Each structure stands twice: as C-alpha cells, then as structure tokens.
Amino acid sequence: MLLTIFQRMAETPWSVALHESLWVWPLIESTHVLTLALFAGTAMLFDLRLTGRALTSMPTATVMARLLPLTRLGFVLMVATGLLLFYASPVRNYQNIFFRTKMLLMVLAGLNVWLFHNGIYRRVHEWGHAAELPRAARMAGWASLLLWTGVIVTGRLVAYNWFDCDIQPQSAFVNWAAGCVVP
Ligand code: HEM
C-alpha cells in the first residue's frame, strides 16, 4: 500500500528533478544538516541541564524559555528539508532499514518529549531551581540524549545502506524489516 504510493511519488516530475539535480539536493541536504544541528544542539543543551551536566546554576524553566524558540525553529526547518530529501528518493528511503530505524527513534523521542511536558515538567516550579533535578526529569534528559543521538547516527547511515533491497540474497529478517519485495 505505502510502497505503491511511494512508487507513484518517485515517478512525479518534481521528485525526478530533485533526485537528478546537481545543486538543489546538496543544498537541501546541507540545510537539513545545519538545521538539525540547531535543533539537536539546543535540545541536547536542555537535556544536559536536566541531567545536571550543564547550566546547573540557571533555573530549568529559564533554560527552556531561552532555548525553545531556537529548538522549534530548527525542528520546523529540519522536518521540511527532511521531507524534501525523502521526496527525492521515496522508494529507496522507504525501503532503507536505517531510515526506518531513524523514524522509529524519532517517534520514541517525540513520545519522551510528550511524557516529559505532560508529566514532571508540569511541576517545574517546585524543582526547577535545584542543581540536581528529580529522577523523572533526569531520566527524560538521558532518554532524549540517547534517542536523538540514535536519530543522528541512523540518519547518517541512510547513505551507506548495505542492506539495500537490490543487494540479494539478504536474510529474511532484513528483507522483512526493510520491506523488500523479493521474487
Ligand atoms: C521528518 C523528519 C525527517 C525526515 C523525513 C528526514 C529525512 C532524511 C533523508 C531522506 C535524508 C537523506 C539520506 C540520504 O539519502 O543520504 C536525511 C539525512 C540525514 N538526517 Fe534526516 N530526516 C528527518 C529528521 C531528522 C532528524 C530529527 C535528525 C537528527 C536529529 C536527522 C538527521 C539526519 C542526518 C545526520 C542525515 C545525514 C546527513 C548526511 O548525510 O550528512 N534527520 N534525513
């Protein structure tokens, strides 16, 4: 179902043009990397505050208020450029095991953000000034650091896909995980 959609997408003139472009694709990818640096850099700085490894003399809510606009800006641009990169090679990305892992880790990272904001962060006025934060806040910080690191590593590995569906035979697990259609 999704494969058919992405096969059709890959045949659209804009997708082909983007895929074959000499300058536009590298420009979009560079913007993706720069904006993900803005996003991940500021998000991870906040995580370091949560884990008690940086900016411990600053109240948590202040760190959040200063960094969040930049984190949001980075996120929006990073997602927009990421979607364009995906659009340039929809089938190759969709069947890429590293891309799939990256998306899964992004969902888990998003879940972590949601749980943090709707959980322990609601009572930030009670604990936000402490250098050593409550266990739940520290755990959210460590989970975030780990998950975003995973997203960056798997994002980088997308380009080196040694599990490509064109390389056969692959193990049954790889073919299943990558969604390869093997005749
Ligand atoms: C909806 C969100 C996103 C989409 C659809 C997306 C999609 C992509 C695609 C298609 C590529 C190109 C892979 C290639 O052909 O070489 C890429 C590269 C990459 N992405 Fe994303 N991405 C997203 C978000 C993120 C996030 C949140 C991070 C990290 C915090 C990230 C990190 C990377 C990295 C490190 C690369 C490799 C850049 C390089 O080759 O130097 N992406 N992304």
Side-chain angles (χ1 to χ4, degrees):
M1 163 73 176
L2 274 179
L3 183 61
T4 317
I5 293 174
F6 293 138
Q7 277 167 341
R8 294 233 175 95
M9 193 184 272
E11 286 161 11
T12 58
W14 282 89
S15 173
V16 176
L18 204 53
H19 181 82
E20 291 178 353
S21 70
L22 196 59
W23 290 105
V24 182
W25 196 91
L27 265 173
I28 295 173
E29 170 147 72
S30 304
T31 312
H32 189 59
V33 175
L34 283 170
T35 51
L36 84 83
L38 177 68
F39 163 76
T42 51
M44 284 174 156
L45 197 52
F46 182 69
D47 295 337
L48 289 173
R49 172 65 184 98
L50 289 181
T51 56
R53 295 298 189 276
L55 307 171
T56 44
S57 59
M58 221 192 230
T60 314
T62 310
V63 179
M64 161 93 86
R66 301 241 173 111
L67 293 176
L68 200 57
L70 294 173
T71 315
R72 282 197 174 130
L73 177 70
F75 185 80
V76 169
L77 296 172
M78 175 199 70
V79 170
T81 48
L83 290 174
L84 282 171
L85 291 175
F86 180 87
Y87 175 59
S89 313
V91 176
R92 273 216 121 63
N93 283 310
Y94 173 65
Q95 292 188 322
N96 186 311
I97 224 165
F98 297 112
F99 182 81
R100 289 180 170 211
T101 312
K102 173 178 156 172
M103 289 299 121
L104 182 69
L105 291 173
M106 270 189 74
V107 170
L108 294 178
L111 194 68
N112 183 49
V113 172
W114 189 84
L115 286 172
F116 173 72
H117 280 273
N118 290 286
I120 187 78
Y121 195 72
R122 280 181 186 269
R123 286 180 281 115
V124 68
H125 54 277
E126 290 170 20
W127 51 263
H129 283 74
E132 166 106 1
L133 301 187
R135 197 180 136 81
R138 280 185 280 130
M139 286 300 115
W142 283 118
S144 177
L145 283 170
L146 212 70
L147 288 166
W148 289 120
T149 301
V151 174
I152 292 174
V153 171
T154 47
R156 194 67 267 269
L157 286 175
V158 170
Y160 305 93
N161 187 16
W162 55 89
F163 297 118
D164 198 292
C165 289
D166 286 350
I167 307 168
Q168 295 293 341
Q170 298 268 14
S171 76
F173 173 76
V174 166
N175 280 330
W176 169 78
C180 301
V181 182
V182 186

